[in-house]
């Protein structure tokens, strides 16, 4: 799943040159608002029942019980989703004026795309529940890359912004048909009795505020920028944000493995092993993420100029600093939160995210009018710092492991020296393509790891382990 998440996130980077080089900045901003809105509305329309499906199906073996659980949840989501769709259709013009800069075509397509996107989330959850992970991963990757491929074809054939939206719709329709056929062939069909519906809603609805808080923290800044500054500034903001957020890809291998490994050691009382795993996970994440944050910050304008346009790069490159170091803190949070998860302190996790989401909204409205899109970037860094520090503090009440601060200092020092080299080369030479940037990154990485060996931050054995991790 770690590799799957990396592949999926790469599509967000690949979409940047496709859209920014073929659309206006305003149209690119509308696309960002469209995808963010679909994600938000799918959370609301699913009522938290997608997670509920996984929870209640995972242990079921009896086909009759599987049919009852699956179709009870399916029809409830379908009914509520239908209400949401009707409301969106009735309010299509006002929503278009408010969010999509008056583009009524986009407003018309929103409920149609939402319908298939939301149901596909539920159908994918079925395969996740029964641990059909190869198929589940294939579906996720197909959803991302097929959408990208169709969008490329349509945009280059003159469909513009609507080409990207048609690509998203086409992909979701095809996946819906495939998954529906697959599920029907496995478990057939049944009209449910809804006898356990209250239990499903009682489990799923309380998850909704936390999910919405995740969305608010990660995406609400685009809405607020659009409201306060205009849709064009969403287009300036998003590429730099996406570039910095690449850092989060480095945490996926750990978040894929730790939830499966740590509970076993915790339940068996093997706290020494658990402590070692946590310490090494944090160390190796920082080993890669710290220099990456420095490098992305310094290379942001050059990379964005190549991936998008000089106009977007000049106005949005500073955002990469905020999101790169936010991603660094997010990695710390993701590792520490495993402690709270194994201790079943999920209410604290939810409270932290809800508090951070409120802080994010307030700070965005306060800072964006004065600092522009940099205010949104600063808000992201502040709120992720808030969540990460409090997660660290609370997690240490239940389990303590070394943060290896001496190693962190050495890593920051090595990354700083590496950055001096990067800075001199960036301003001495002009970089015209990603190959030249890639060569510079490789040279910088060699300098960093040599310095870390000299500082005795890592040894050659650990360096070989890092190479193996990167190859995987």
């Amino acid at each position: 799943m770690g590799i799957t998440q990396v592949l999926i996130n790469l599509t967000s980077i690949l979409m940047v040159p496709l859209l920014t080089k073929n659309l206006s900045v305003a149209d690119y901003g509308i696309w960002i608002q469209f995808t963010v809105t679909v994600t938000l509305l799918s959370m609301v329309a699913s009522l938290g029942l997608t997670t509920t499906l996984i929870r209640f199906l995972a242990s079921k073996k009896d086909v009759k019980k599987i049919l009852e659980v699956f179709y009870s949840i399916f029809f409830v989501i379908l009914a509520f989703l239908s209400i949401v769709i009707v409301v969106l259709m009735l309010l299509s013009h006002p929503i278009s004026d408010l969010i999509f800069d008056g583009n009524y075509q986009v407003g018309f397509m929103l409920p149609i795309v939402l319908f298939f996107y939301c149901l596909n989330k539920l159908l994918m959850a079925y395969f996740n529940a029964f641990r059909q992970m190869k198929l589940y991963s294939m579906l996720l990757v197909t959803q991302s890359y097929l959408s990208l491929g169709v969008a490329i074809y349509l945009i280059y054939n003159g469909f513009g912004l609507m080409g990207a939206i048609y690509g998203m719709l086409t992909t979701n329709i095809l996946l819906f048909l495939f998954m529906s056929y697959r599920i029907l062939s496995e478990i057939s069909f049944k009209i449910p009795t809804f006898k356990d519906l209250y239990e499903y809603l009682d489990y799923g609805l309380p998850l909704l505020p936390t999910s919405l808080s995740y969305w608010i923290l990660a995406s609400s800044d685009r809405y607020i920028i659009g409201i306060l500054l205009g849709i064009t500034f969403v287009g300036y903001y998003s590429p730099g944000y996406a570039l910095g957020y690449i850092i989060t890809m480095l945490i996926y291998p750990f978040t894929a493995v730790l939830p499966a490994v740590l509970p076993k050691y915790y339940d068996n009382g093997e706290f020494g092993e658990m402590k070692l795993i946590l310490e090494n996970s944090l160390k190796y994440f920082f080993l890669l993420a710290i220099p990456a944050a420095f490098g992305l910050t310094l290379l942001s304008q050059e990379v964005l100029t190549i991936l998008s346009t000089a106009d977007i790069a000049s106005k949005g490159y500073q955002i990469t600093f905020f999101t790169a170091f936010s991603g660094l803190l997010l990695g710390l949070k993701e590792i520490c939160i495993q402690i709270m998860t194994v201790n079943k302190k999920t209410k604290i996790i939810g409270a932290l995210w809800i508090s951070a989401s409120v802080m994010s909204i307030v700070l965005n409205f306060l800072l964006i009018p004065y600092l522009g899109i940099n205010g949104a970037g600063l808000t992201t860094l502040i709120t992720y710092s808030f969540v990460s520090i409090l997660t660290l503090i609370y997690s240490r009440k239940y389990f303590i492991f070394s943060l290896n601060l001496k190693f962190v200092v050495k890593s920051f020092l090595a990354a700083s020296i590496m950055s001096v080299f990067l800075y001199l080369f960036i301003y001495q030479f002009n970089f015209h393509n990603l190959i030249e940037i890639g060569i510079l990154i490789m040279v910088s990485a060699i300098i960093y790891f040599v310095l870390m060996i000299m500082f005795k931050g890592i040894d050659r054995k650990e360096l070989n382990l890092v190479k193996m991790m990167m190859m995987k």
Side-chain angles (χ1 to χ4, degrees):
M1 281 303 296
I3 294 174
T4 299
Q5 289 298 325
V6 170
L7 290 173
I8 291 169
N9 278 271
L10 279 175
T11 58
S12 65
I13 298 299
L14 295 173
M15 285 292 280
V16 171
L18 170 66
L19 297 175
T20 57
K21 291 182 181 295
N22 294 282
L23 305 178
S24 67
V25 179
D27 277 353
Y28 176 64
I30 292 172
W31 164 254
I32 296 298
Q33 295 292 61
F34 182 83
T35 55
V36 165
T37 304
V38 169
T39 303
L40 168 64
L41 292 176
S42 69
M43 288 182 185
V44 175
S46 65
L47 300 171
L49 292 176
T50 301
T51 305
T52 304
L53 183 75
I54 297 172
R55 169 65 181 82
F56 284 89
L57 270 189
S59 60
K60 296 289 187 295
K61 303 296 181 184
D62 189 312
V63 175
K64 291 183 179 179
K65 292 180 179 179
I66 292 172
L67 285 165
E68 179 63 30
V69 173
F70 179 77
Y71 285 109
S72 292
I73 292 175
F74 178 85
F75 281 115
V76 169
I77 290 180
L78 181 62
F80 188 69
L81 176 61
S82 299
I83 296 171
V84 173
I85 295 299
V86 171
V87 172
L88 289 174
M89 287 181 172
L90 293 174
L91 298 177
S92 175
H93 280 206
I95 289 172
S96 299
D97 289 331
L98 180 65
I99 302 175
F100 304 131
D101 199 34
N103 192 319
Y104 298 131
Q105 267 190 299
V106 175
F108 175 79
M109 291 299 298
L110 176 62
I112 301 172
V113 173
L114 174 65
F115 179 83
F116 290 101
Y117 182 88
C118 186
L119 290 181
N120 282 348
K121 287 289 184 184
L122 178 67
L123 299 183
M124 285 186 184
Y126 168 88
F127 300 109
N128 190 0
F130 289 114
R131 310 306 293 169
Q132 298 182 33
M133 300 314 293
K134 287 185 179 179
L135 177 59
Y136 178 67
S137 297
M138 183 199 75
L139 290 169
L140 289 173
V141 173
T142 300
Q143 185 180 45
S144 297
Y145 283 90
L146 182 58
S147 181
L148 174 64
V150 176
I152 290 173
Y153 176 80
L154 292 176
I155 287 173
Y156 281 114
N157 279 275
F159 283 85
L161 169 63
M162 296 309 298
I165 294 174
Y166 293 149
M168 187 175 182
L169 175 61
T170 303
T171 299
N172 277 281
I173 291 174
L174 292 173
L175 285 176
F176 176 77
L177 293 173
F178 171 80
M179 289 188 290
S180 298
Y181 172 78
R182 180 70 181 250
I183 292 171
L184 285 170
S185 65
E186 288 186 9
I187 63 171
S188 188
F189 178 78
K190 174 192 174 185
I191 300 296
T193 62
F194 301 102
K195 62 178 181 178
D196 296 317
L197 179 59
Y198 176 81
E199 185 180 4
Y200 303 149
L201 291 171
D202 185 58
Y203 182 90
L205 286 175
L207 299 173
L208 192 55
T210 302
S211 298
L212 291 175
S213 298
Y214 285 136
W215 178 89
I216 290 170
L217 197 56
S219 304
S220 65
D221 48 3
R222 278 71 152 189
Y223 274 139
I224 299 172
I225 290 171
I227 292 168
L228 297 178
L229 302 178
I231 198 71
T232 299
F233 284 88
V234 177
Y236 287 135
Y237 177 78
S238 296
Y241 188 102
L243 182 63
Y245 215 63
I246 287 176
I247 290 285
T248 59
M249 293 186 191
L250 298 173
I251 197 62
Y252 291 142
F254 303 105
T255 55
V257 173
L258 291 179
V261 172
L262 290 182
K264 297 177 183 177
Y265 289 114
Y266 182 83
D267 293 341
N268 293 331
E270 299 178 53
F271 301 121
E273 290 294 326
M274 181 174 166
K275 180 173 179 286
L276 184 63
I277 290 170
L278 288 167
E279 288 174 351
N280 284 333
S281 296
L282 189 61
K283 178 179 180 179
Y284 292 129
F285 171 72
F286 278 152
L287 178 66
L288 299 174
I290 289 173
F294 276 83
L296 285 169
T297 298
L298 285 170
L299 290 170
S300 177
Q301 188 165 7
E302 283 67 27
V303 173
L304 288 175
T305 300
I306 294 169
L307 289 179
S308 58
T309 66
D311 183 36
I312 290 175
S314 65
K315 290 183 173 67
Y317 76 94
Q318 292 174 323
I319 301 303
T320 303
F321 161 76
F322 296 113
T323 53
F325 282 91
S326 296
L328 186 63
L329 290 166
L330 186 62
L332 170 65
K333 188 274 300 180
E334 286 294 336
I335 290 173
C336 291
I337 215 167
Q338 304 301 325
I339 296 171
M340 298 169 71
T341 301
V342 297
N343 281 277
K344 301 177 181 177
K345 303 298 179 182
T346 52
K347 289 183 179 179
I348 296 176
I349 297 171
L352 287 174
W353 279 105
I354 292 170
S355 301
S357 66
V358 173
M359 177 188 290
S360 176
I361 293 172
V362 172
L363 286 176
N364 272 317
F365 274 109
L366 289 175
L367 295 178
I368 290 173
Y370 296 98
L371 301 176
I373 60 174
N374 286 330
L378 179 59
T379 295
T380 299
L381 183 58
I382 292 171
T383 50
Y384 275 112
S385 299
F386 170 79
V387 170
S388 300
I389 291 170
L390 286 184
T391 301
L392 174 63
I393 291 171
Y394 275 106
S395 69
R396 295 179 80 78
K397 290 183 178 182
Y398 305 104
F399 191 84
I400 296 176
F401 67 97
S402 173
L403 300 178
N404 207 340
L405 294 179
K406 187 182 291 186
F407 168 82
V408 174
V409 171
K410 290 177 180 178
S411 181
F412 267 94
L413 180 59
S416 298
I417 296 172
M418 176 201 76
S419 297
V420 173
F421 163 81
L422 262 179
Y423 180 85
L424 292 174
F425 264 76
I426 289 170
Y427 288 95
Q428 187 70 28
F429 302 100
N430 291 321
F431 295 92
H432 301 96
N433 55 62
L434 290 177
I435 295 176
E436 294 175 354
I437 294 285
I439 293 171
L440 181 59
I441 290 172
M442 286 190 290
V443 173
S444 300
I446 291 170
I447 292 172
Y448 170 77
F449 282 110
V450 168
L451 288 169
M452 285 299 291
I453 292 171
M454 290 173 59
F455 296 157
K456 297 184 179 178
I458 57 171
D459 54 32
R460 295 186 182 278
K461 183 179 179 181
E462 290 177 311
L463 185 61
N464 289 331
L465 179 60
V466 171
K467 289 179 181 177
M468 290 174 61
M469 288 171 59
M470 294 178 72
M471 289 297 291
K472 291 181 180 180

